[in-house]
Amino acid sequence: AQKVTQAQTEISVVEKEDVTLDCVYETRDTTYYLFWYKQPPSGELVFLIRRNSFDEQNEISGRYSWNFQKSTSSFNFTITASQVVDSAVYFCALSEVSNGGGADGLTFGKGTHLIIQP
Amino acid sequence: EPEVTQTPSHQVTQMGQEVILRCVPISNHLYFYWYRQILGQKVEFLVSFYNNEISEKSEIFDDQFSVERPDGSNFTLKIRSTKLEDSAMYFCASRPAGYDTQYFGPGTRLTVL
């Protein structure tokens, strides 16, 4: 069975600090997908990034970066120079490969509530 | 940019009543999903739907739930006899064939009284 653990329930930092959100996953599949979604106070789920299990290359997008390490089953998310608008709940999610070759039902972690104080 | 839409944004119903939540997936997408999020908790997978049939469902998706694609654009979730514990935000998502990312709608908040 798949499992995603986000051990940090809530993180509070002051604006401009760097912050890392941890995600540890469990799966018996050798091929899988990992995702991060952002849920701002308005409630929608906003896609941030997708990673295939065979692609361990780290990624940077502006102030966001992701560190994928299969050896430790972790997919951590770092926000550099945090801003108040980054305040949200962040979910890490895992999916197996469907018969059609794409990702199927997502297993979400419990989320990390990130509070950026001005 | 195309988006997944959901109606209504908020539905209030009495326990035991039937509700239908509606979703319009992105037009060229072929895989459709329903998830729910009880207030303050994680998002939970309910069901996936492809080629007019259910391809995967979770333990939550019991006999009181059903899904349908009644026409070329809508994707619906029906709850036959709502319970208090069905109160949650229900998210619809869709993705194209062969592509991995699911895009979510804004959600329907269901309140069962």
Side-chain angles (χ1 to χ4, degrees):
Chain A
Q2 303 174 101
K3 185 177 178 181
V4 176
T5 301
Q6 294 180 257
Q8 305 149 309
T9 305
E10 184 175 289
I11 300 175
S12 181
V13 299
V14 177
E15 198 172 22
K16 297 183 183 176
E17 287 186 18
D18 298 348
V19 59
T20 295
L21 310 182
D22 298 333
C23 173
V24 174
Y25 63 91
E26 296 176 27
T27 179
R28 288 176 289 189
D29 291 342
T30 56
T31 303
Y32 49 88
Y33 298 93
L34 293 164
F35 303 81
W36 276 95
Y37 286 85
K38 174 182 179 180
Q39 187 173 44
S42 50
E44 71 271 26
L45 287 166
V46 179
F47 166 73
L48 295 178
I49 191 172
R50 177 191 80 246
R51 254 303 166 255
N52 301 326
S53 54
F54 44 83
D55 180 6
E56 285 192 74
Q57 187 174 7
N58 293 326
E59 183 159 335
I60 298 174
S61 176
R63 296 184 296 106
Y64 295 173
S65 63
W66 290 269
N67 185 316
F68 176 28
Q69 292 194 346
K70 286 180 76 171
S71 60
T72 56
S73 297
S74 64
F75 186 42
N76 296 336
F77 172 31
T78 298
I79 302 175
T80 303
S82 59
Q83 300 175 0
V84 173
V85 293
D86 296 327
S87 296
V89 179
Y90 290 86
F91 291 98
C92 180
L94 167 71
S95 179
E96 299 173 339
V97 176
S98 72
N99 291 335
D104 222 303
L106 299 174
T107 298
F108 283 80
K110 292 185 177 181
T112 296
H113 184 198
L114 178 62
I115 301 168
I116 310 296
Q117 300 178 10
Chain B
E1 187 173 326
E3 294 179 337
V4 177
T5 60
Q6 292 185 241
T7 54
S9 56
H10 190 189
Q11 172 100 40
V12 181
T13 189
Q14 296 291 323
M15 189 170 56
Q17 295 296 305
E18 174 184 286
V19 294
I20 297 176
L21 310 183
R22 290 183 167 79
C23 169
V24 178
I26 295 172
S27 62
N28 64 340
H29 287 191
L30 300 178
Y31 293 80
F32 314 114
Y33 305 84
W34 283 102
Y35 293 82
R36 80 171 185 190
Q37 184 183 29
I38 296 171
L39 186 63
Q41 298 188 22
K42 68 177 180 180
V43 180
E44 299 173 291
F45 168 72
L46 292 178
V47 66
S48 59
F49 191 86
Y50 170 70
N51 200 24
N52 282 320
E53 60 182 25
I54 291 173
S55 52
E56 184 186 10
K57 60 182 181 179
S58 72
E59 293 176 352
I60 302 169
F61 193 86
D62 61 23
D63 291 343
Q64 70 160 344
F65 291 96
S66 63
V67 290
E68 192 178 28
R69 188 153 164 82
D71 52 43
S73 59
N74 290 284
F75 179 50
T76 62
L77 174 69
K78 181 192 290 186
I79 309 175
R80 289 188 181 81
S81 178
T82 50
K83 305 172 190 170
L84 294 176
E85 54 265 37
D86 293 329
S87 294
M89 180 75 89
Y90 288 81
F91 290 103
C92 173
S94 69
R95 69 170 176 90
Y99 189 67
D100 319 318
T101 299
Q102 296 175 29
Y103 291 92
F104 284 78
T108 292
R109 180 163 298 284
L110 176 64
T111 302
V112 182
L113 303 176

